[in-house]
Amino acid sequence: MRWKSRLTAFAICFVIGLAAAFIVAAILGLLRHRHQSQTQLTACHSADYFNRPEEVLTAIKSDEVAVRRDMFKRLLVRPDISTVYYDYERDLNYPERTDRAKLEYIQLDDTREPEALLTFVRLERPTALIFSRDSCGWKLVGALSSWLRFEDYPYDNWLTFQKTITSRSFELLVRDSVGDAMSYARKARLLRLDRGHLVAIAEFDEEVLVPVGDYSGADWSDVKRRQFSDVTFSPEHIQIETTTSLVKLRGPIASYSYWLETDGTWHAKRRNWASRSFQVLQEEGASKRSLVWNASEGRFVGSEQQ
């Protein structure tokens, strides 16, 4: 009889221990779930997220200085945003309002929902902000700017869209121009949004004007060596046909007018000398390049063909 009582006691202790183990496991699981929920809730309420891109557009166009200042700090004073020019010292006291702000939705990667692209001109610099949506809301995933020293305000052609890799999404073609009183160069960069980061996948010169070193005529300041590239985009290919010629600039530098939203007035400026009409003095040659998408390198590669 004694072994029966011992067996009964063992069974009772085993059941009690098993029940206690299940209860402890359930309590730990509940606490872990609450911790994860609180962590996710905190992340979703972070300053990194926005309810809608329209609230950003409204803030940067606001007449209230504090509203603009706070929004620019949230957008551009970030350790992971380094591709955009931002004059923090100037914005510290009086951030300038944006000009020609526009919001559009466009597919820039292979996710289901399109990205929001907010473009504007500020401090005479065009800027683009890219927002992507996830379970927490809209987050700024990319910011880019362009240096257009010798282009006409408001730089309508600084950013265009191209389909080069797939037919499902677009890439961003960004133009920059630099130069001085004697030379001019306009460069184009093709950027892809890849897993939340902007990546340069191709780069080429669109137009270059430089002095002719061995020319000593009286009109030497008007005679330039011009390199111009005609670019054709197609799926997984970029065709670049470049011609080099000796040209002579002709006629005066034209003027143009534009409306500035920030002060509500018309402005007049002279175009850059590179926009003058020209006469071709001599064709010096042509070349072709075919750039092909290389998935392993994540960019377009190719060689020059005469």
Side-chain angles (χ1 to χ4, degrees):
M1 296 297 294
R2 182 177 299 176
W3 64 270
K4 290 184 178 180
S5 61
R6 290 179 178 178
L7 182 61
T8 302
F10 174 78
I12 293 174
C13 292
F14 177 78
V15 171
I16 294 175
L18 187 63
F22 278 117
I23 293 173
V24 172
I27 293 174
L28 291 177
L30 180 61
L31 292 175
R32 188 181 302 110
H33 177 72
R34 287 182 177 179
H35 176 72
Q36 291 176 349
S37 299
Q38 290 176 355
T39 302
Q40 183 177 6
L41 185 63
T42 301
C44 290
H45 281 81
S46 169
D48 292 340
Y49 286 93
F50 303 91
N51 293 325
R52 299 171 67 238
E54 284 77 7
E55 75 172 274
V56 181
L57 175 64
T58 301
I60 64 176
K61 295 180 65 176
S62 174
D63 292 332
E64 297 293 331
V65 176
V67 174
R68 299 198 303 270
R69 180 174 59 243
D70 292 343
M71 182 54 69
F72 279 127
K73 286 182 179 179
R74 290 184 62 188
L75 291 171
L76 302 179
V77 184
R78 296 166 53 95
D80 56 337
I81 298 297
S82 58
T83 56
V84 65
Y85 170 79
Y86 180 65
D87 191 344
Y88 176 75
E89 292 297 330
R90 180 168 180 170
D91 270 357
L92 186 61
N93 296 316
Y94 193 86
E96 184 173 316
R97 286 189 300 164
T98 59
D99 187 36
R100 288 167 171 80
K102 181 177 66 173
L103 178 66
E104 54 189 318
Y105 291 86
I106 185 169
Q107 192 71 46
L108 296 177
D109 58 15
D110 55 1
T111 58
R112 173 185 293 183
E113 296 201 24
E115 283 66 42
L117 181 68
L118 177 59
T119 57
F120 54 89
V121 181
R122 183 182 157 278
L123 301 177
E124 297 189 356
R125 294 290 296 270
T127 302
L129 305 177
I130 302 171
F131 298 87
S132 182
R133 187 177 184 180
D134 58 25
S135 59
C136 292
W138 290 90
K139 183 178 181 179
L140 179 68
V141 296
L144 59 98
S145 184
S146 179
W147 178 252
L148 294 168
R149 187 175 181 184
F150 293 125
E151 309 302 322
D152 295 345
Y153 193 91
Y155 323 118
D156 293 326
N157 203 36
W158 81 276
L159 176 65
T160 57
F161 308 122
Q162 300 291 340
K163 284 187 176 181
T164 60
I165 303 176
T166 70
S167 59
R168 299 186 302 272
S169 61
F170 289 89
E171 284 73 53
L172 302 176
L173 187 67
V174 182
R175 294 177 174 87
D176 299 271
S177 64
V178 295
D180 51 32
M182 300 302 297
S183 61
Y184 165 85
R186 185 177 67 252
K187 183 183 294 293
R189 294 175 294 135
L190 191 64
L191 304 178
R192 179 190 185 194
L193 184 63
D194 184 16
R195 288 170 290 186
H197 298 280
L198 287 173
V199 181
I201 59 176
E203 185 175 302
F204 50 86
D205 290 326
E206 286 190 327
E207 185 179 10
V208 177
L209 288 168
V210 294
V212 182
D214 54 356
Y215 185 82
S216 58
D219 56 352
W220 63 271
S221 61
D222 291 333
V223 176
K224 306 290 182 182
R225 178 165 283 110
R226 181 176 185 261
Q227 177 183 301
F228 180 78
S229 296
D230 186 18
V231 184
T232 303
F233 296 92
S234 59
E236 299 191 351
H237 289 82
I238 302 177
Q239 299 290 336
I240 305 174
E241 185 172 355
T242 303
T243 58
T244 303
S245 56
L246 203 65
V247 302
K248 181 178 180 180
L249 302 178
R250 304 174 61 182
I253 300 176
S255 299
Y256 70 101
S257 300
Y258 62 93
W259 174 266
L260 194 60
E261 296 178 8
T262 54
D263 58 16
T265 59
W266 284 94
H267 296 258
K269 276 190 176 183
R270 297 178 68 194
R271 299 184 186 273
N272 181 251
W273 61 264
S275 65
R276 295 169 62 191
S277 60
F278 59 86
Q279 173 190 1
V280 178
L281 302 178
Q282 179 183 343
E283 297 286 356
E284 295 189 337
S287 62
K288 292 183 179 180
R289 297 174 61 199
S290 179
L291 303 182
V292 181
W293 173 248
N294 188 312
S296 61
E297 294 188 20
R299 62 180 292 107
F300 283 90
V301 297
S303 59
E304 187 169 347
Q305 303 171 353
Q306 296 296 333

